[in-house]
Amino acid sequence: MWRHPLLTSVAGALVSALIGGVFLLVKSSGDVVLIGVDKTQGNPFVPGNHDPSVPGPGVVPPLPDVPPRDPNNRQRIPGGEPGGHGRSGDGVSCDVSAHLKYLTDPAHAAAAAAWAGVIGIQPADIPGYVNRLTPVRLRFDTRVTNYDYKDGHADGFQAALQAGTAVLVDDQGVPRMKCNCGNPLMEPNGPADKGSVAGYAKNPQDAWDRFDPGQVVTFTGGTHVDRFVLVDLDDGQAYQRGVGSNGRDAPIGRGDPACGILAVTTNCGGPGPQATPADAEALDKAVRRLTDAVRNKDCKGLFDLMSARAITQLGLNSAESLSNCQQSFQALESFGGITINEIKVLSQTGARAEISITATISGQSVTEQDHMVRENGNWKVDIAG
């Protein structure tokens, strides 16, 4: 079938051209502050965001039933248990050097003293202590005591950190530092809560999708380990990370003792992560955001849905891509504009999905297929194939 040259160029790169840049309030009675994966506190110990690869708010870690839970206390997980914590695809989740540079600066001696006081060490011992911690990403919504820095002292409060949040854990797997803000963390106070969000949280309006107080976990210590076996947030594979290292990971293999718990992973000969209802819901929401972004000519929304690999391979940058995208929308208007009729999921296998995009351009219907990948726990358009 003959197509107008403009149709051919847009249809052949509908996503790469357009998307790539040619592209209750509820009364609260609870005590726990909900902190989303992409949020920082207003009074951080270390200003700035020191998580190099912050997941988006729709993160859904794979293998939610790993590790197996105690049926009598599903909200407590031993910190050193294989699969208890996760990792980013690039391995790195915390700029430890930035934290240490700030806390060891004499100009911030008061903050360093307050930070050390929470942990129970001397300020001079902060570098040695922090360098023995290990960066991981939480695989579960996790309750902690979080300390921010107010009026020259540490102010502790109960908090629930969203899955995907980067933290530093001690050699028992207990969170001790929040990576994006440098706040010290300690074990939570008070009993677990399985009630309503409004009864649990001080800020229920900030609850993320699928948040359930009954699924919030705490990590317990007791067993010292010399490595952590982490589950990747995207492909569900298992990697070992030495205590005190920062992202130098190696995949485990069949016969590793951790396979007794992580038998479902492909490393251990299992089928790997299967699509869960929560993951399917997250993928569906990403597809709806993609649809809305094109319909609303939202170039920033389109760029934010691009995978990092696609951005790198296409040589895109945000400012240039936004400008080109806006120009493309304007150019298409002279040919009658573009109407997205439907974007639907054709299939999903683990961290990869196939989508179908049907659009009408200048009165003609065009259908193309593209890919989406789970990147850092969030679904992104991967037009680079």
Side-chain angles (χ1 to χ4, degrees):
M1 180 181 70
W2 177 87
R3 294 179 178 176
H4 188 284
L6 178 62
L7 295 183
T8 302
S9 64
V10 173
L14 179 62
V15 179
S16 63
L18 195 53
I19 297 175
V22 186
F23 138 161
L24 193 268
L25 211 41
V26 193
K27 179 176 174 58
S28 167
S29 60
D31 297 321
V32 180
V33 176
L34 306 182
I35 304 177
V37 67
D38 54 346
K39 306 297 182 184
T40 56
Q41 281 66 61
N43 299 285
F45 264 86
V46 181
N49 189 329
H50 303 289
D51 178 352
S53 305
V54 181
V59 58
V60 181
L63 305 179
D65 295 324
V66 173
R69 313 280 188 86
D70 180 349
N72 297 317
N73 195 346
R74 290 184 55 81
Q75 291 184 269
R76 296 180 71 84
I77 299 176
E81 192 86 339
H85 294 302
R87 61 158 241 157
S88 296
D90 59 7
V92 179
S93 59
C94 197
D95 187 353
V96 175
S97 62
H99 294 311
L100 292 179
K101 181 179 180 180
Y102 187 90
L103 291 173
T104 57
D105 186 334
H108 308 134
W115 196 98
V118 172
I119 302 298
I121 60 177
Q122 296 299 313
D125 297 329
I126 289 177
Y129 177 82
V130 171
N131 282 323
R132 291 193 299 271
L133 301 178
T134 308
V136 301
R137 288 200 184 275
L138 298 175
R139 296 191 58 238
F140 309 94
D141 296 342
T142 301
R143 187 173 171 184
V144 296
T145 300
N146 189 1
Y147 291 81
D148 56 15
Y149 186 56
K150 290 181 181 177
D151 302 321
H153 69 273
D155 185 34
F157 59 96
Q158 298 305 295
L161 307 182
Q162 186 182 3
T165 299
V167 298
L168 291 168
V169 299
D170 62 19
D171 64 358
Q172 299 178 62
V174 178
R176 295 303 183 198
M177 189 176 192
K178 191 167 183 280
C179 286
N180 65 357
C181 62
N183 286 3
L185 305 173
M186 298 297 284
E187 292 87 341
N189 296 321
D193 194 318
K194 300 181 181 180
S196 67
V197 176
Y200 179 83
K202 280 188 175 181
N203 55 330
Q205 71 277 8
D206 294 329
W208 41 91
D209 289 345
R210 297 173 298 279
F211 175 73
D212 178 357
Q215 298 299 316
V216 176
V217 308
T218 61
F219 286 95
T220 61
T223 301
H224 297 268
V225 299
D226 57 13
R227 69 163 187 170
F228 292 102
V229 179
L230 310 176
V231 173
D232 190 270
L233 286 188
D234 297 330
D235 60 20
Q237 292 200 60
Y239 294 80
Q240 58 181 335
R241 176 176 296 180
V243 167
S245 64
N246 187 16
R248 296 184 293 275
D249 303 337
I252 67 170
R254 299 188 188 189
D256 190 288
C259 286
I261 290 176
L262 300 177
V264 69
T265 65
T266 54
N267 311 64
C268 297
Q274 305 299 304
T276 65
D279 197 35
E281 178 187 351
L283 175 59
D284 180 67
K285 286 188 175 183
V287 168
R288 281 188 272 128
R289 286 198 301 272
L290 174 60
T291 304
D292 291 342
V294 178
R295 286 175 175 167
N296 297 329
K297 302 179 177 63
D298 177 8
C299 290
K300 183 179 185 306
L302 293 170
F303 187 83
D304 289 345
L305 282 163
M306 294 277 287
S307 73
R309 185 171 74 125
I311 290 172
T312 298
Q313 290 193 5
L314 293 171
L316 304 177
N317 65 68
S318 180
E320 180 183 1
S321 297
L322 292 179
S323 175
N324 289 340
C325 172
Q326 291 158 356
Q327 292 173 18
S328 296
F329 273 124
Q330 293 169 2
L332 285 169
E333 289 299 324
S334 63
F335 291 90
I338 178 172
T339 300
I340 296 295
N341 302 321
E342 183 181 41
I343 301 179
K344 65 180 180 180
V345 178
L346 300 178
S347 64
Q348 177 193 346
T349 303
R352 189 173 182 83
E354 306 297 320
I355 62 173
S356 171
I357 304 172
T358 301
T360 299
I361 307 174
S362 191
Q364 295 192 36
S365 179
V366 177
T367 298
E368 290 293 323
Q369 291 186 14
D370 258 298
H371 312 287
M372 296 189 76
V373 295
R374 191 164 48 210
E375 181 180 276
N376 216 10
N378 291 264
W379 287 101
K380 302 279 188 173
V381 179
D382 192 47
I383 60 174

